[in-house]
Amino acid sequence: MDMQRQLPQLEQMCERLYLTQSQEERLQVEQMLGVFGQSTEYIADLKAILDSSSSPYAQHMAATSLLKLATEHSLSAPVRAEMKQYFLSYLDNKGPSLQHFVVVQIVQLLTRTVKLGWYENDVHKQIVEDAKAFIDKGTPEHYLLALRVLNTLVRTASVRRSLFASESELFYPINVDDDLLNYLLVRTAEGLADHDNYHEFCRLLGRLKTNYQLSELVAVDRYTEWIQQVADLTISSLNSWQWASSSVYYLLGLWSRLVSSMPYLKGDAPSLLEVSVPQITQAYITSRLESVGLVLQNNMLEDMLENEDQLTEQMDALPYLVRFQYDNSAAFIVRLMEPLCDSFSQAAKTACSAQQMALLEGQLTWLVYMAAKTACSAQQVALLEGQLTWLVYIVGAIIKGRLSSSSAESQESIDGDLAARVFALLAVMDDAFHSTRYAESSRRRLDTAIINFFQCFRKVYIGEQVMHSSKVYTKLQEKLGLTDHLGVLNVMLSKIAKNLQVYGSSEEIVHQTLTLFQDLAAGYMSGKLLMKLDSVRYILSHHTAEHYAFLNHPANTRNRTTFYATLARLLFMDEQPSNFKDFVAPLQQVLVGLAQASNNSTDAAPLRQSIPKETIIGLFRDLRGIATATNSRRTYSLLFDWLYPQHLPVMIKCLEAWADVPQVTTPLLKFMAEFVFNKGSRLAFDPSSPNGILLFSVSSPLMDAAQNTAGSSVGSQAGWTGPKTPGLCSSQLNGPRPKQAGSIVGSQLDDPAPNKAGSSVAHSWMTVPKQAGSSVISHSGCTGRQTSRSSVRLTVDGRGPANKAGSKGEVSRVMVTYGNRVLAMPAPGASAATATANGTAAPTVGKPYDTRYKDMWVCFTMLARTNPALKEALEMTMRLVLSIPLVDIMAFRKVSRAYFSLIEVLAHNHTGSLVMQDTATFTFLIQSMEQGLKCLDVAISSSCASAIDNLAGFYFRSVVRGGEAMSSPPGTQQIAEHIRLAPHLFPEVLKTLFEIVLFEECSNQWSLSRPMLSLILINEQIYNDLKCQIIASQPADRQAHLATCLAKLMTDDVQRNLEPKNRDKFTQILTVVRHEYRSKS
């Protein structure tokens, strides 16, 4: 290959591989460039690319291909030795100028080569000396390269310690690390003064304990000197937090792992951790407290309290250090905390409020006033708040560390002493001057730390596994009078209520507070204890915005759902129905108000004019929270009897009025999806109850809401109206609609002929009760008692009542109303999907997910949950699906999960409905499932495999074996016509499945194997041709092996049927074929 001549074109392809927005284009380029990683004959070409190309994408592609070749192919010892020298030389000459991601790949390639050639040639065992040579270059860039090589080598060695054949070789890297550490520390001014080098060196130290046991480390000759140098480096890093804050995590991780190994240390060799660890603990705590004042003085410095990820990482490692010498460390914390708490309490008593300031200003001289103002400086209070925030976080982390402490019981008393300091702080946090500081960031961080402390304390000392006689409560009773769980819960609930009252504008604190409330209510024991508290009963009877300000802030709309879900969970622990009625009384008033606003008009426009949308958003967020908490028949019945049938029509009106406002439609549709979700069999009504049918099959008097179809336009803010055209719902009332070009649903799904009067036949089989609680229902003379709980599981097979003309479920009504409205809206951006230069689709512009797709995936989820029985809902769903470009379905994960889950349900329960679509629609569905198979999300690929299995199985049984049956099932002719017009559909899917199962890592191999037998049996001649194509696509040296493996697949052991035992046999053989091929490749 003339690489010099073809290099510009190859560089362009590599840029397309990494930069293109089109998944299809990326796959095409990846397939073209993949040839470089399939045969060792391309090694010379890949080296030429590295030598000649200045494109980082071409360099990365070459390094990736070489890594694949070095790993998957057997190379001779001289070749590996030459490759090792080549990569070292490449890093030496070009490493300082390479992009970071290229360096990472080259370094990995170097260390992988060294690892694989370790026993072949001693040149590989000189890798550490080679790294030292990089350090001797004297440049920060080479220093960093050396550290990255060592770091990757240590990580590689941790995978396989059998890399070292003898004991001396096994300890060789430890000795090297020991020598190297001293070697590096001598050159600190030249190397570690660079931040990148310093950070990489800390990463190297952090990985050291991952490879070696503490007993192995203490046996090293220079361990004493080494451990002291590491301790000095750690303390220096802690004190230099402005420069090394991101590196501290690796150092703390090293010390925490060393301390955790102390119980397993045997022998007389001293670890010296008893001296170093307390020093490091004290340095960490004092440096964090000192940082608060420095940040207040210089706002250009990074505030470590603002970096949540770093804070969490450090708090995870710190408890091991503190509990190592717990008595001394706890005493040190108390010495720091007591004066801060005293000063904080004094500030509440002496700090001047605004009113006191005004009095001073009028009565004292200017000089005295300024002195008084300085004395109660807000900055001093902020300093106290910041330092207390650190200590509260530290105490919380220490208490949480009890879960992993081997001497937990003996340390409970110390836990209680530290916890008492934090609980005592709560007594003054919301009093006097401190109650005026809720808007300050330092105060908000302190309250966030308090919530974190509550969570840590809850996990350890509140719950089913905690004894009331714990020494923690002995200490809390001694200092604060908190005798047991109930007393502590009362303190927590008081703080939760206070936060919800004063932090309405802080979505973060409200969210964290409600998460704590939810976690406390989730436990069986803690939930029962909460119900004993008067504060909880007060919240259950006073949960409106006038009592909790956060409900009035738009930023907290999502938090409303959590709030009401938690309250409802607590409420349902009490089995008194009257309590539920009192609880929902405020929501009842809102629903009645909505009904009154909409009763005097035939359309929904007046509702939009008279009711703020925020009221609707809050209402459905609250309702969804309550619905989420109904986990049993009893609790769900309370909600159902309240809402049905009185209030459901109002929901349809709201959907009509605000169909073009996603902020309204999203919570409404999510509530409806939750309301019809049969989780925990909560929808299993009593055998004599008609509620199952009433939920899904309400007759049509209220269906006028759904008569507006696509073609209407978005109106003014006052309402949304448009020209009336015959639509999905009007066709049910006025007879069968005429066929239209491009119709989604074929004639098999059209409505049956109307009765002789030309009206709907709905009223001939069902009478809808007009009031809640009515059980009047008739169907061909059947009484309500004959309606069993199986009525919930409706089908579209022409036998259930859901298939009667004119029967419309609440689900159908909601979906059809929403679908007609949203499809009439202009598509986001210039078009449904933009096109790239080569004609492939790209994700739509604008914000299509927020404006359209979010609500669509909720509809897909709702339909999948309710086992779709109503063809209006099914038809609307297909229209919504086809309105989304495939590239957008794959781009938005929530959309793709809901879409493929729905397709799986439809293919399993309503195969005929899918195959009766027109050929273009059917082709789109199959192609989308093929894309889903390639998705890395296991849930999506498994759903696609299941759906394809059902469709292919349907074709095999009804078409291939159709002559053996007395009659063909509905849809047989349609699917046969689809495959005749598009014969490539099933073979392409089968090819994709083979490529995934044979050549890729897949954790759901069993799921992917199920449709393969169905696809093979459809046409075995096509399978044989496809098998030859797959074999020919592989490198020449693998083709014979692959052919031998595939020849074992369809043997006589596999019958030509889809019986379960035969399927299992095929899957077993496929597993053996896959293992045999991959083990020798």
Side-chain angles (χ1 to χ4, degrees), residues 50-51 53-57 59 89-104 106 134 139-145 148:
L50 289 175
D51 291 334
S53 177
S54 60
S55 168
Y57 306 108
Q59 293 166 349
S89 176
Y90 188 82
L91 286 173
D92 185 15
N93 297 326
K94 293 191 174 184
S97 62
L98 293 176
Q99 293 284 346
H100 171 71
F101 62 89
V102 179
V103 172
V104 170
I106 296 292
F134 275 25
T139 67
E141 292 80 9
H142 281 87
Y143 195 101
L144 180 60
L145 288 173
R148 283 178 173 164

Side-chain angles (χ1 to χ4, degrees), residues 520-538:
L520 289 172
Y524 177 79
M525 178 179 176
S526 57
K528 288 291 187 182
L529 289 173
L530 286 176
M531 288 303 295
K532 296 180 180 180
L533 300 176
D534 292 337
S535 55
V536 171
R537 296 193 175 277
Y538 179 84

Side-chain angles (χ1 to χ4, degrees), residues 938-972:
V938 174
I940 290 178
S941 59
S942 297
S943 293
C944 292
S946 176
I948 292 171
D949 185 28
N950 282 290
L951 291 175
F954 179 84
Y955 183 87
F956 176 74
R957 295 186 184 96
S958 60
V959 179
V960 178
R961 294 288 180 88
E964 301 176 6
M966 296 296 295
S967 61
S968 300
T972 300

Side-chain angles (χ1 to χ4, degrees), residues 409 412-417 419-420 457 461 466-485 488:
E409 285 191 25
E412 285 186 357
S413 181
I414 303 177
D415 285 352
D417 188 45
F457 191 90
Y461 291 113
V466 181
M467 299 296 294
H468 290 276
S469 59
S470 170
K471 294 180 181 180
V472 166
Y473 289 102
T474 303
K475 207 70 175 179
L476 290 177
Q477 181 180 15
E478 175 187 323
K479 292 183 174 294
L480 302 174
L482 300 176
T483 59
D484 55 16
H485 300 190
V488 172

Side-chain angles (χ1 to χ4, degrees), residues 442-610:
S442 58
R443 172 53 197 266
R444 294 188 174 194
R445 284 201 299 264
L446 178 57
D447 274 313
T448 300
I450 292 292
I451 296 171
N452 177 77
F453 166 78
F454 284 162
Q455 286 283 24
C456 295
F457 191 90
R458 174 191 67 81
K459 293 175 181 178
V460 180
Y461 291 113
I462 295 178
E464 288 74 8
Q465 305 300 323
V466 181
M467 299 296 294
H468 290 276
S469 59
S470 170
K471 294 180 181 180
V472 166
Y473 289 102
T474 303
K475 207 70 175 179
L476 290 177
Q477 181 180 15
E478 175 187 323
K479 292 183 174 294
L480 302 174
L482 300 176
T483 59
D484 55 16
H485 300 190
L486 198 61
V488 172
L489 284 174
N490 192 47
V491 172
M492 291 185 179
L493 258 294
S494 299
K495 185 58 182 173
I496 288 172
K498 191 67 176 180
N499 284 357
L500 297 180
Q501 291 169 354
V502 302
Y503 282 119
S505 60
S506 176
E507 191 276 337
E508 181 180 1
I509 293 182
V510 169
H511 173 72
Q512 294 173 350
T513 301
L514 288 175
T515 300
L516 171 63
F517 190 23
Q518 186 180 47
D519 292 340
L520 289 172
Y524 177 79
M525 178 179 176
S526 57
K528 288 291 187 182
L529 289 173
L530 286 176
M531 288 303 295
K532 296 180 180 180
L533 300 176
D534 292 337
S535 55
V536 171
R537 296 193 175 277
Y538 179 84
I539 295 176
L540 289 174
S541 58
H542 301 80
H543 51 81
T544 57
E546 60 182 303
H547 298 94
Y548 298 100
F550 83 96
L551 294 171
N552 277 333
H553 288 267
N556 290 312
T557 54
R558 292 187 177 183
N559 289 325
R560 297 180 68 128
T561 302
T562 305
F563 181 58
Y564 274 92
T566 305
L567 293 181
R569 180 180 179 84
L570 292 172
L571 178 74
F572 292 145
M573 291 183 181
D574 190 341
E575 299 186 1
Q576 295 295 328
S578 59
N579 293 339
F580 178 78
K581 183 178 179 180
D582 296 337
F583 175 72
V584 299
L587 303 179
Q588 171 78 6
Q589 293 178 1
V590 176
L591 288 168
V592 171
L594 291 174
Q596 292 174 349
S598 61
N599 280 343
N600 298 326
S601 177
T602 57
D603 58 38
L607 187 63
R608 183 162 176 163
Q609 292 176 337
S610 59

Side-chain angles (χ1 to χ4, degrees), residues 602-658:
T602 57
D603 58 38
L607 187 63
R608 183 162 176 163
Q609 292 176 337
S610 59
I611 305 295
K613 70 177 181 180
E614 290 76 15
T615 300
I616 311 300
I617 296 171
L619 171 66
F620 287 105
R621 293 280 187 186
D622 301 345
L623 289 176
R624 184 186 172 205
I626 298 174
T628 301
T630 59
N631 294 318
S632 66
R633 290 176 55 192
R634 177 184 66 84
T635 56
Y636 184 83
S637 295
L638 292 173
L639 178 64
F640 180 86
D641 293 340
W642 170 46
L643 293 179
Y644 183 84
Q646 182 180 1
H647 299 303
L648 289 182
V650 173
M651 300 179 187
I652 303 298
K653 289 287 187 180
C654 292
L655 189 59
E656 289 181 327
W658 283 279

Side-chain angles (χ1 to χ4, degrees), residues 38 107 114 124 131 205 234 387 415 490 500 617 629 709 717 737 747 816 842 875 919 939 989 1028 1075:
Q38 295 179 355
V107 168
V114 169
H124 297 289
L205 288 176
T234 303
Q387 292 177 333
D415 285 352
N490 192 47
L500 297 180
I617 296 171
T709 62
Q717 288 299 104
R737 63 184 182 278
S747 60
V816 172
E875 180 171 350
T919 300
V989 173
C1028 294
H1075 177 74

Side-chain angles (χ1 to χ4, degrees), residues 76 128-129 180 185-186 229 385 399 523 633 704 756 793 797 853 866 888 1008:
S76 64
V128 175
E129 296 300 322
L180 185 61
L185 291 177
V186 169
Q229 288 178 324
E385 290 170 342
I399 290 177
R633 290 176 55 192
D704 293 339
K756 294 182 179 180
R793 299 184 291 273
D797 58 1
Y853 300 160
T866 57
D888 284 355
L1008 296 180

